[in-house]
């Protein structure tokens, strides 16, 4: 196993260029990166084929560390850049990593439209329920009642469930994992990347520094254990009562449907446009 | 199409000519969001781009449109978007990204009255300073201004060429009058058009330094997916594209961004002189106002005053040298604009002479007429 890890590090990380990284020790972001690299390695994708794009935030810092075509865009807008990349060069495998605020606050509009449009993109959203990078302000996924630097009297808004939001917006593949269930996560990412269509993988993660500390959630290990105890597989959740699911969340695949993929549809439009351009004008 | 066929006279509106210019320059990607008076550009490209294996997409807003064209350009495809005031405001943040990451792209802003929703169907020139300074932070940018339908074609080709050559976003400022006026034009055939493509790296990937400071200041640009796996970021970065906090790196990269444009002043700063040889008073104008100014110069000369006009085609980088020489030559300069005075400030800023600089402004959604300019020139 350690040998395997060393091999992957050398193969995929810009290990001689960009380290040490910016993340706090114990941050869940590293676990997501590890799972992503293993998934990509298992799929046997060439590094040249992969674009890893991100928005702004702690999660958004991920691309700089890996040896792909990497793009660190503006806050909330990663999916728009990715849309341009995929449309202009569909042969690229485009993966986007965002934070919960990045994807569903400032980038919420792009998120639902990307899901609706159905380009073949894989969006990974690391949901730590807080704005990590800017110092612990509440995000659209901060639970009701939580303490944050901008809700010092307790948070009075309701939280988004990102995966459910993606399902409702029409994403072709939607899954949720956690940084505790690292192997499950690896599999979900693999499926998400393989899926032809817009895939969303929401990853419940720990930000012990900005979220955990203010809400007495403990150290990284305690927080990750919390994820373990509050995650319920979709299969199991189906058999549970509404009440017993109240403080829990589901993990696994929430949606996997076939729908027309934008780039394939657009290729048909090109053929049609070329045909009609050739026809003599009446 | 044979060269002969394509050379026939056509009745086109400004927005159509921009579409023709973009296609001739090799634009193969367009992302936009509908807005008057720019929508025709989207509509026409939705029809035309797929015919040439290009891509058109209507995005969810202008922020997304700007993001998408940057993304497409990173794959080596020439890209454009078109909008008007409110949409241009939304594009500003990502426009800054294109500036710092040096991603070629063209943004058309068909100006309308503002601020806010303003006067959707009336021409205006209120976005001149926004085009220069709209995105935050110090940054170089190129801003061109069109005044005729033929300009719309030629300058769109130019916009792409400059954008590719200098790896900088180029803004084309049009207005409702130019955009919707139909004029007979004969467009050049493809072999008469010079098309410039960005320089790609010729070195092997392991030697590629994406933001290297070479002699011209414009580093070659690798395309995603061709073996040059590099990092593109809106953070200030070092030569290798990685974020940096080192002040020597920061200074060097910002200096280069400006230097690459300064080096190109000779070809970037485009102006046209009209009857300037013996002019004692001059009009400095741009966009649709330049058309009225042209007429006004002729009429003023008939009344016995040697007037001339300097038309600014490039608004930014501000063509300071030419403006200065006009200021040295003429006793007075009039700057008519459909705003409260944006370029007149620039003219005043560079004026080191005793010449008078006066402004003439309209912000009522009406065009500035030749008569108005003549009246001002007679009194100046
Ligand atoms: C337009 C804009 N507004 C605000 C910011 C400041 N900002 C940077 S990161 C961030 C939030 C990050 O939170 P999240 O997306 O949840 O990611 P995390 O840091 O938790 O991984 C904000 C508000 C910005 N960079 N750009
Ligand atoms: S602030 Fe939170 S999300 Fe950001 S690196 Fe630290 S632990 Fe991770």
């Amino acid at each position: 196993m350690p040998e395997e890890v060393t091999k992957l590090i050398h193969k995929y990380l810009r290990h001689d260029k960009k380290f040490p990284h910016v993340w706090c020790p114990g941050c869940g972001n590293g676990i997501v990166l590890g799972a992503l690299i293993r998934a990509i390695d298992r799929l046997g994708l060439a590094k040249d084929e992969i674009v890893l794009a991100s928005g702004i935030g702690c999660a958004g810092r991920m691309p700089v560390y890996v040896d792909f075509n990497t793009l660190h865009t503006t806050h909330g807008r990663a999916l728009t850049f990715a849309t341009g990349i995929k449309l202009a060069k569909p042969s690229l495998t485009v993966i986007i990593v965002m934070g919960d605020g990045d994807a569903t606050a400032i980038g919420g509009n792009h998120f639902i439209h990307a899901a609706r449009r159905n380009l073949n993109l894989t969006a990974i959203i690391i949901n730590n329920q807080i704005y990590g990078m800017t110092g612990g302000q509440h995000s659209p996924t901060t639970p009701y009642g939580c303490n944050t630097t901008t809700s010092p009297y307790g948070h009075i808004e309701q939280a988004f469930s990102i995966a459910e939001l993606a399902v409702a917006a029409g994403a072709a593949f939607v899954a949720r994992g956690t940084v505790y269930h690292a192997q499950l996560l690896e599999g979900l990412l693999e499926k998400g990347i393989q899926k032809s269509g817009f895939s969303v993988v929401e990853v419940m993660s720990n930000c012990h520094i900005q979220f955990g500390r203010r809400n007495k959630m403990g150290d990284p290990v305690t927080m990750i254990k919390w994820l373990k105890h509050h995650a319920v597989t979709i299969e199991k959740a189906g058999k549970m009562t509404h009440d017993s699911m109240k403080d829990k969340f589901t993990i696994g695949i929430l949606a996997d449907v076939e729908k027309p993929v934008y780039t394939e549809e657009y290729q048909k439009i090109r053929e049609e446009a070329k045909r009609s351009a050739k026809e003599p004008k009446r | 199409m044979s060269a002969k066929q394509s050379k026939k006279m056509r009745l086109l509106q400004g927005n159509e000519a921009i579409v023709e210019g973009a296609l001739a320059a090799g634009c193969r990607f367009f992302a936009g969001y509908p807005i008057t008076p720019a929508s025709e550009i989207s509509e026409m490209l939705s029809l035309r781009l797929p015919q040439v294996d290009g891509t058109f997409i209507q995005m969810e807003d202008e922020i997304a449109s700007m993001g998408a064209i940057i993304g497409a350009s990173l794959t080596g495809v020439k890209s454009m978007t078109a909008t008007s005031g409110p949409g241009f405001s939304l594009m500003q943040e990502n426009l800054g990204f294109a500036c710092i990451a040096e991603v070629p792209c063209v943004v058309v802003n068909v100006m309308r009255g503002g601020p806010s929703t303003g006067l959707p169907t009336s021409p205006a020139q209120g976005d001149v300073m926004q085009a220069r300074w709209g995105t935050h932070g110090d940054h170089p940018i190129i801003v061109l201004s069109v005044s005729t339908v033929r300009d719309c074609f030629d300058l769109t080709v130019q916009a792409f060429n400059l954008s590719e050559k200098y790896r900088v976003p180029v803004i084309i400022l049009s207005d409702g009058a130019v955009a919707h006026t139909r004029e007979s034009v004969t467009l050049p055939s493809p072999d008469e058009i010079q098309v410039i493509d960005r320089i790609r790296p010729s070195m092997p990937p392991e030697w590629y330094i994406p933001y290297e400071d070479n002699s011209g200041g414009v580093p070659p640009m690798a395309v995603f997916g061709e073996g040059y796996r590099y990092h593109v970021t809106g953070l200030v970065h070092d030569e290798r594209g990685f974020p940096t906090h080192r002040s020597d790196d920061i200074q060097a990269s910002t200096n280069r961004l400006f230097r690459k444009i300064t080096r190109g002043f000779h070809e970037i700063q485009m102006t046209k002189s009209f009857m300037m040889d013996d002019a004692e008073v001059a009009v400095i104008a741009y966009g649709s106002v330049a058309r009225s100014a042209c007429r006004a110069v002729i009429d003023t000369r008939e009344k016995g005053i040697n007037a001339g006009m300097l038309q600014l085609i490039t608004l930014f980088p501000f063509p300071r040298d030419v403006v200065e020489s006009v200021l040295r030559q003429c006793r007075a300069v009039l700057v008519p604009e459909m705003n409260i005075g944006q370029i007149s400030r620039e003219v005043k800023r560079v004026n080191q002479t005793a010449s008078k600089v006066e402004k003439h402004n309209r912000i009522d959604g009406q065009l500035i007429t030749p008569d108005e300019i003549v009246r001002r020139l007679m009194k100046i």
Side-chain angles (χ1 to χ4, degrees):
Chain A
M1 189 65 180
E3 240 173 75
E4 188 67 13
V5 171
T6 315
K7 234 171 65 192
L8 289 181
I9 286 176
H10 276 268
K11 186 166 170 194
Y12 292 102
L13 297 191
R14 286 171 171 152
H15 52 88
D16 54 345
K17 296 180 185 149
K18 268 324 296 167
F19 285 83
H21 59 66
V22 295
W23 295 325
C24 310
C27 175
N29 288 347
I31 299 174
V32 184
L33 177 57
L36 177 63
I37 285 175
R38 290 193 300 277
I40 287 171
D41 194 61
R42 272 231 298 259
L43 288 168
L45 296 167
K47 291 193 286 185
D48 282 338
E49 285 170 37
I50 296 176
V51 175
L52 186 63
S54 69
I56 300 292
C58 296
R61 287 303 185 102
M62 189 180 285
V64 73
Y65 303 118
V66 278
D67 190 21
F68 302 129
N69 305 284
T70 56
L71 174 62
H72 183 212
T73 70
T74 44
H75 192 31
R77 320 298 176 195
L79 283 169
T80 72
F81 287 65
T83 298
I85 292 171
K86 188 68 185 179
L87 285 172
K89 200 162 185 173
S91 62
L92 292 168
T93 298
V94 185
I95 302 166
I96 303 98
V97 59
M98 297 171 281
D100 42 276
D102 199 30
T104 66
I106 192 163
N109 197 30
H110 309 308
F111 181 59
I112 55 173
H113 287 282
R116 173 184 67 78
R117 199 174 278 131
N118 202 31
L119 257 95
N120 190 4
L121 303 170
T122 306
I124 304 168
I125 297 156
I126 304 182
N127 182 0
N128 55 16
Q129 305 176 302
I130 198 84
Y131 284 3
M133 177 149 276
T134 39
Q137 300 82 3
H138 62 77
S139 93
T141 58
T142 301
Y144 179 86
C146 283
N147 212 286
T148 74
T149 51
T150 45
S151 57
Y153 301 105
H155 191 45
I156 54 171
E157 296 177 22
Q158 301 297 316
F160 266 148
S161 293
I162 295 179
E164 279 80 359
L165 175 67
V167 174
F173 179 91
V174 181
R176 190 190 282 118
T178 81
V179 292
Y180 172 81
H181 307 83
Q183 277 185 332
L184 171 78
L185 180 60
E186 189 181 318
L188 296 176
L189 290 170
E190 202 181 322
K191 288 205 179 74
I193 295 167
Q194 265 179 315
K195 174 77 185 181
S196 185
F198 191 72
S199 316
V200 176
V201 180
E202 177 187 4
V203 189
M204 301 304 294
S205 184
N206 64 297
C207 173
H208 47 289
I209 301 294
Q210 302 295 4
F211 185 70
R213 216 161 28 116
R214 271 183 204 95
N215 292 285
K216 307 202 166 44
M217 306 273 292
D219 62 1
V221 176
T222 319
M223 281 190 83
I224 291 174
K225 277 190 180 153
W226 184 94
L227 292 172
K228 174 189 176 182
H229 296 305
H230 289 77
V232 181
T233 61
I234 289 177
E235 297 74 34
K236 212 163 140 195
K239 294 181 203 124
M240 284 169 63
T241 62
H242 191 72
D243 270 0
S244 58
M245 274 301 288
K246 229 173 180 175
D247 63 337
K248 307 268 194 312
F249 59 88
T250 53
I251 52 170
I253 296 171
L254 282 80
D256 188 355
V257 289
E258 297 304 317
K259 30 179 91 177
V261 176
Y262 193 99
T263 42
E264 289 163 19
E265 294 292 302
Y266 200 78
Q267 191 51 35
K268 290 185 212 159
I269 286 189
R270 287 197 187 106
E271 303 309 323
E272 164 67 21
K274 279 184 270 189
R275 240 194 330 269
S276 58
K278 271 197 211 120
E279 273 170 18
K281 283 200 189 91
R282 270 176 293 168
Chain B
M1 226 192 275
S2 74
K4 221 176 188 169
Q5 262 179 314
S6 66
K7 287 229 69 165
K8 68 172 186 248
M9 186 110 92
R10 298 168 66 183
L11 188 65
L12 294 179
Q13 57 161 227
N15 279 348
E16 273 177 285
I18 284 179
V19 166
E20 296 299 338
L23 292 169
C27 171
R28 290 297 177 268
F29 186 92
F30 180 95
Y33 188 81
I35 187 164
T36 303
S39 297
E40 293 87 359
I41 298 174
S42 281
E43 288 165 4
M44 284 180 272
L45 282 169
S46 74
L47 190 73
R48 298 284 298 281
L49 274 171
Q51 295 174 349
V52 291
D53 280 318
T55 310
F56 164 88
I57 187 167
Q58 180 174 314
M59 295 298 286
E60 54 272 19
D61 58 30
E62 289 86 349
I63 302 173
S65 305
M66 192 65 219
I69 69 166
I70 295 171
S73 186
L74 287 169
T75 72
V77 176
K78 291 185 188 176
S79 309
M80 179 171 93
T81 184
T83 188
S84 185
F88 192 53
S89 295
L90 287 181
M91 287 176 183
Q92 295 304 327
E93 189 196 5
N94 282 344
L95 195 55
F97 184 96
C99 292
I100 196 169
E102 299 176 70
V103 186
C105 54
V106 173
V107 177
V108 180
N109 175 10
V110 187
M111 292 181 285
R112 60 195 232 177
S116 192
T117 312
L119 288 164
T121 55
S122 301
Q125 296 180 318
D127 306 351
V128 169
M129 280 300 161
Q130 189 193 20
R132 175 63 193 91
W133 294 113
T135 197
H136 60 281
D138 285 316
H139 62 279
I141 202 153
I142 296 175
V143 182
L144 308 181
S145 162
V146 291
S147 70
T148 64
V149 171
R150 179 62 200 255
D151 266 2
C152 287
F153 180 89
D154 293 340
L155 293 178
T156 303
V157 174
Q158 274 290 350
F160 275 98
N161 285 350
L162 293 173
S163 179
E164 292 283 315
K165 183 165 178 183
Y166 294 98
R167 292 188 60 178
V168 66
V170 177
I171 316 287
I172 298 173
L173 290 182
S174 176
D175 64 59
V178 181
H180 289 156
T181 303
R182 285 186 188 278
E183 290 181 292
S184 298
V185 284
T186 311
L187 299 181
S189 58
D191 53 303
E192 292 170 294
I193 298 166
Q194 194 204 6
V195 170
I196 297 174
D197 296 324
R198 68 191 72 168
I199 295 180
R200 303 264 182 100
S202 53
M203 65 289 274
E206 56 277 19
W207 291 356
Y208 180 52
I209 302 170
Y211 293 96
E212 187 170 22
D213 191 356
N214 59 21
S215 58
V218 187
M221 186 171 174
V223 159
F224 275 4
E226 291 187 354
Y228 298 82
R229 296 183 301 273
Y230 73 113
H231 187 62
V232 181
T233 178
L235 286 169
V236 172
H237 41 267
D238 59 20
E239 287 198 322
R240 297 163 85 183
F242 296 125
T244 182
H245 282 293
R246 292 181 46 153
S247 51
D248 48 345
D249 279 342
I250 299 166
Q251 188 69 47
S253 74
T254 312
N255 285 349
R256 182 178 60 73
L257 287 186
F258 281 92
R259 180 158 44 83
K260 69 175 181 182
I261 302 298
T262 315
R263 288 240 165 118
F265 272 2
H266 61 283
E267 63 173 2
I268 298 172
Q269 294 177 329
M270 295 176 284
T271 55
K272 248 191 255 175
S273 294
F274 180 68
M275 298 195 157
M276 276 303 297
D277 284 352
D278 59 347
E280 48 172 313
V281 294
V283 185
I284 294 182
Y286 57 95
S288 50
V289 179
R291 304 172 67 135
S292 300
C294 202
R295 179 78 240 168
V297 162
I298 296 168
D299 294 351
T300 309
R301 279 187 177 254
E302 272 173 15
K303 293 185 198 292
I305 292 177
N306 284 352
M309 176 182 69
L310 177 72
Q311 180 184 348
L312 305 183
I313 293 166
T314 305
L315 300 184
F316 298 103
F318 188 67
R320 177 180 192 138
D321 288 351
V322 192
V323 171
E324 279 177 343
S325 72
V326 167
L327 286 163
R328 279 195 298 269
Q329 177 187 333
C330 300
R331 64 177 164 81
V333 165
L334 180 73
V335 188
E337 297 176 88
M338 291 189 287
N339 57 41
I340 60 162
Q342 297 192 16
I343 283 295
S344 60
R345 281 181 163 225
E346 289 294 287
V347 177
K348 283 179 183 163
R349 178 176 66 86
V350 303
N351 185 14
Q352 310 258 358
T353 68
S355 306
K356 237 191 322 185
V357 177
E358 290 196 359
K359 49 187 205 150
H360 178 79
N361 311 100
R362 273 196 98 140
I363 46 164
D364 58 356
Q366 299 302 309
L367 292 169
I368 293 175
T369 64
D371 280 355
E372 289 171 47
I373 299 174
V374 173
R375 277 199 297 276
R376 289 297 305 266
L377 287 178
M378 296 303 294
K379 274 189 268 172
I380 205 165

